[in-house]
Amino acid sequence: MSKSVTQYIAVLADAVGSRRLAASARQALQQQLRSVLTAANRKWRNAIAARFAITLGDQLEGLVAADAPLWEIVHYLRAELDGDWIIS
């Protein structure tokens, strides 16, 4: 008898150079990040295993099911967030 294995994909992202931003610009980026993640968590709630969350001020992480629309989710994050992001 074989066991069913559920696979997930971790999505991690970091804003490039955000530590060099002025305090007000960094605060605005973090506010935008909260808003975008709330929308992403709502939009793909059925595909997300662990909700997207801010980890270190300008970094995010989330866990999606292996069959989630990964490209669509990542593209949405890059399109909605200001600045340059490294997403892995």
Side-chain angles (χ1 to χ4, degrees):
M1 179 179 354
S2 65
K3 292 184 179 181
S4 175
V5 176
T6 303
Q7 295 182 340
Y8 300 100
I9 299 168
V11 178
L12 309 169
D14 185 20
V16 175
S18 62
R19 291 184 187 186
R20 293 187 300 262
L21 294 173
S24 61
R26 191 164 187 202
Q27 185 177 15
L29 176 65
Q30 291 171 349
Q31 178 59 39
Q32 180 192 42
L33 183 54
R34 283 189 288 277
S35 176
V36 168
L37 294 183
T38 296
N41 285 327
R42 188 177 316 117
K43 184 172 183 169
W44 288 287
R45 67 182 169 274
N46 294 328
I48 295 173
R51 295 173 68 101
F52 286 102
I54 300 171
T55 56
L56 293 173
D58 59 359
Q59 296 177 4
L60 68 93
E61 64 181 34
L63 196 63
V64 299
D67 62 350
L70 185 59
W71 171 249
E72 187 178 339
I73 294 169
V74 169
H75 183 70
Y76 172 82
L77 294 173
R78 288 190 62 89
E80 293 297 316
L81 294 169
D82 291 339
D84 193 16
W85 287 79
I86 296 173
I87 301 178
S88 58

